Amino acid sequence: MRLSPLIAACALSLPLLSGTAAASSYPVKDRTLTHNKLYRSGPLKPAACMVDVMRRHFDPPVSKTYGQAVLDCVNSVWAAYAKKAHLPFAKARVTFTFERRRFCGSPWPEHAAAFYCSAERRMVILLNRVTVDEPWGLHFLSTITHEYGHHIQTITGIMRAHDNHPIRGTREQKEQSHRLELQAECLSGMIMRSMWPALDSTQTEWDDLVDKTKAGAEYYERTYKINDHGKGRNLAYWLERGFQTPSPSSCNTWTAPPAKVA
């Protein structure tokens, strides 16, 4: 699931933290989570197909056709990566909607911009005037790639292992939920890095995305007492980590210390 973006821009300084080796509050012993073959599969190569996506002329509604083209590209890149790394693969699907509605047997989460259904291997993304009029922004891309991170978790068995992991109380449930969402955020950064050579985007725009990701999570926690994805500083950390070290090995949140998944 992806939270709706914070509209107001903010100017925050984000240092790239390092180190994820310390023991967690609730140690995860399931090797599907901690030692998944995904982490041994090497870096993701640049998404050459994004060059063609960025050159195409898209008829209205632009956000739907552009978003589908982006997903087709990511599916293609990940299919090739999975084949080379001997990982399982299945295409992700997408539905774009202007209305919050039931999906995957559940009501739409009140503050969600998108979410992913493992049973259907489908992401649903809520559109608004900004994404329709100006779909080219990095936030629209990061919404798609975050949900694709959940798709990667599904096809590699991580999602099922998380769902079946024994939970001893609400505090552990929150910590493991954070690990799942923060891993998807890291994988999002990794995928966006593979797209970067084809995008007409600047480092300033990337920094702005990281800042808004951090500020958005802080806003929801402060205003609505929502902290199901992790604190803003940790969302920013894992997004940046995936972008700066574009390999799934950098996204093993299951062995990260509790401070990095709070």
Side-chain angles (χ1 to χ4, degrees), residues 138 196 199-209 243:
L138 293 183
W196 197 255
L199 303 181
D200 186 21
S201 299
T202 65
Q203 182 64 43
T204 298
E205 289 174 302
W206 173 258
D207 292 342
D208 185 60
L209 173 67
F243 187 80

Side-chain angles (χ1 to χ4, degrees), residues 3-4 37 45 51 73 83 139-140 222 224 240 251:
L3 291 173
S4 297
K37 188 176 179 180
K45 293 183 178 180
V51 174
C73 176
K83 182 177 181 180
H139 189 275
F140 187 54
R222 182 175 62 252
Y224 302 108
E240 188 77 278
C251 298

